[in-house]
């Protein structure tokens, strides 16, 4: 059976365009507003959704997403509530892939076996565990594959040709290429450098490559969409929530930006 992620990338390949991958933190700024936003992202143009699992020590994230995690946790978000959000999303949408993105600690505390079972039953399609590198695949990889969940791996500008095979081993769904060193939401990547990196990756795998970190504007997204199979935007969306005077305004501002990003990505190759 074809996974939602594989199916979505096949659709987009036939349409000759990249995917817009949108990140939001579950429970930010509160459960109700976050759920409302999640449900509306596909209609605004999101092809794939990364749903952040809030954690108290998100070491790979910059100030914007760190603050989102704090807001969500203060509002009472839990792993159970995050999975319930996915369940409620699936009542209305059975086609948009959802990847849970976050850190190993909340999964470990939940219980990896129970988490994989519940995530699959909720309608999760993949996992991106930032602090669990490919060398530690045995921690979650076998459980994820048994549950039918894609295990998303990350490559960075420092991932050389010697290490790349280990990163690609057992990777599925897509490869998340971190466009610059550092944390999320800080800096801007160089397009030529990213293009060369994608070319090197494609010499070793056919897995789709999605570029993230440092992508904030429709113009930046369109440039990366020329070369990558997907473009990930997170901090710019979370910023909309942080700067809004009300949760409702935050939701609307995010959806408006997603619409602009989607339009840019969809027309990048035309």
């Amino acid at each position: 059976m074809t996974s939602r992620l594989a199916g979505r990338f096949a659709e987009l390949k036939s349409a000759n365009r990249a995917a817009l991958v949108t990140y939001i933190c579950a429970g930010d700024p509160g459960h109700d507003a976050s759920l409302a936003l999640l449900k509306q992202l596909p209609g605004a143009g999101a092809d794939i959704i990364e749903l952040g699992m809030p954690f108290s020590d998100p070491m790979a994230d910059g100030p914007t997403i760190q603050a989102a995690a704090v807001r969500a946790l203060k509002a009472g978000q839990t792993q159970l509530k995050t999975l319930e959000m996915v369940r409620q999303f699936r009542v209305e949408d059975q086609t948009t892939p959802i990847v849970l993105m976050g850190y190993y600690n909340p999964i470990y505390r939940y219980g990896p076996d129970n988490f994989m079972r519940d995530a699959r039953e909720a309608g999760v399609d993949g996992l991106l565990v930032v602090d669990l590198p490919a060398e530690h695949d045995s921690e979650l990889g076998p459980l994820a594959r048994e549950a039918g969940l894609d295990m998303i791996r990350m490559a960075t500008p420092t991932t050389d040709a010697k290490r790349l095979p280990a990163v690609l081993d057992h990777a599925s769904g897509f490869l998340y290429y971190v466009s610059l060193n550092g944390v999320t939401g800080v800096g801007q990547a160089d397009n030529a450098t990213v293009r060369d990196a994608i070319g090197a990756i494609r010499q070793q795998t056919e897995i789709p490559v999605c570029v993230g970190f440092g992508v904030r504007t429709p113009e930046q997204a369109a440039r990366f969409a020329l070369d990558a199979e997907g473009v990930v935007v997170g901090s710019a969306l979370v910023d909309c929530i942080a700067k809004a005077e009300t949760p409702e305004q935050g939701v609307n501002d995010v959806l408006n930006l997603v619409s602009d990003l989607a339009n840019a990505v969809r027309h990048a190759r035309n």
Side-chain angles (χ1 to χ4, degrees):
M1 182 178 177
T2 303
S3 71
R4 286 192 187 95
L5 280 167
R8 180 53 50 93
F9 280 113
E11 292 170 11
L12 298 177
K13 183 177 182 179
S14 66
N16 189 34
R17 72 172 181 87
L20 174 61
V21 185
T22 58
Y23 171 94
I24 63 170
C25 182
D28 175 36
H31 183 271
D32 292 345
S34 185
L35 178 59
L37 175 56
L38 178 66
K39 289 182 175 181
Q40 294 178 78
L41 283 172
D47 298 300
I48 297 167
I49 297 170
E50 284 185 0
L51 186 61
M53 300 177 288
F55 176 50
S56 57
D57 186 24
M59 58 188 177
D61 293 303
T64 298
I65 292 180
Q66 286 185 18
V70 170
R71 289 193 297 270
L73 292 171
K74 284 185 176 179
Q77 190 70 13
T78 64
Q79 288 288 82
L80 281 171
K81 288 184 177 180
T82 298
L83 294 178
E84 182 57 29
M85 285 178 64
V86 179
R87 282 192 195 90
Q88 294 186 46
F89 176 87
R90 286 286 173 232
V91 172
E92 302 172 12
D93 189 318
Q94 287 290 323
T95 59
T96 303
I98 290 184
V99 173
L100 293 184
M101 182 174 183
Y103 298 82
Y104 184 43
N105 182 274
I107 296 174
Y108 179 79
R109 291 180 62 190
Y110 193 105
D113 290 278
N114 292 335
F115 180 81
M116 292 298 177
R117 181 198 64 225
D118 292 350
R120 182 61 181 175
E121 290 177 355
V124 173
D125 300 292
L127 295 173
L128 203 171
V129 185
V130 178
D131 57 345
L132 201 63
E135 288 80 2
H136 294 275
D137 177 77
S138 60
E139 294 285 345
L140 286 181
L143 292 175
R145 290 186 283 276
E146 185 178 346
L149 299 179
D150 284 311
M151 205 71 184
I152 315 299
R153 298 296 184 199
M154 304 182 83
T156 74
T158 60
T159 303
D160 58 22
K162 183 177 180 180
R163 183 169 182 267
L164 184 59
V167 172
L168 296 173
D169 188 35
H170 291 307
S172 62
F174 62 89
L175 180 72
Y176 189 127
Y177 182 73
V178 177
S179 64
L180 44 79
N181 292 319
V183 295
T184 58
V186 178
Q188 183 175 336
D190 176 71
N191 291 82
T193 301
V194 172
R195 185 181 303 116
D196 290 345
I198 292 174
I201 291 168
R202 288 204 175 114
Q203 292 179 10
Q204 298 199 36
T205 184
E206 295 182 356
I207 192 171
V209 179
C210 295
V211 177
F213 281 49
V215 185
R216 301 187 63 88
T217 68
E219 293 75 21
Q220 290 171 336
R223 288 195 292 270
F224 287 126
L226 292 171
D227 301 298
E229 281 81 18
V231 181
V232 185
V233 182
S235 294
L237 303 181
V238 175
D239 257 343
C240 293
I241 295 172
K243 294 176 180 178
E245 294 183 1
T246 66
E248 294 76 17
Q249 179 191 338
V251 169
N252 288 333
D253 289 349
V254 170
L255 295 174
N256 287 334
L257 179 53
V258 169
S259 179
D260 291 341
L261 290 162
N263 186 59
V265 168
R266 292 179 184 192
H267 292 92
R269 299 178 186 175
N270 298 332

